[in-house]
Amino acid sequence: MTMQPSAEPGPEQGIRQDRRPVTEADLIAAGIDLARDFPGRSIADLSEYPVLSEGGWFIVIKNQRTLEEIARRPWLLLGPVELLSHSLVLD
């Protein structure tokens, strides 16, 4: 019996990482002045998305060309996992 290799995962099967473009308002909320703090960086190169590190889940703003972290803030304890108990309505 020979085993057939599994098909390569397509875009609908793989892990999907949503990256959101960063706005001036996002940078202001993070206390970042791009010209002062990161000279030579362009706002068009920045994206915001969740990451998991040893400290838990965070929402980060990173330069997509260099992966340099511009800002980070704590996110949900379990990240994108939503417990069924969160939808319970207790009166």
Side-chain angles (χ1 to χ4, degrees):
M1 174 182 207
T2 61
M3 295 187 67
Q4 296 294 326
S6 62
E8 291 293 317
E12 67 282 353
Q13 296 172 332
I15 296 174
R16 186 172 164 204
Q17 176 68 37
D18 291 325
R19 290 182 169 93
R20 188 179 69 77
V22 175
T23 64
E24 285 289 335
D26 294 329
L27 293 177
I28 291 170
I32 302 294
D33 180 349
L34 203 56
R36 180 194 68 214
D37 300 329
F38 299 94
R41 306 302 189 276
S42 167
I43 196 167
D45 295 334
L46 304 180
S47 292
E48 179 181 72
Y49 50 93
V51 297
L52 177 61
S53 72
E54 62 278 357
W57 283 95
F58 293 88
I59 297 292
V60 298
I61 297 175
K62 287 192 175 195
N63 182 332
Q64 294 305 288
R65 292 179 186 235
T66 63
L67 293 181
E68 174 185 23
E69 187 172 292
I70 306 297
R72 117 181 341 218
R73 69 179 191 274
W75 196 34
L76 303 170
L77 179 64
L78 298 177
V81 177
E82 186 174 327
L83 298 176
L84 290 175
S85 60
H86 288 165
S87 62
L88 292 176
V89 177
L90 303 173
D91 291 331

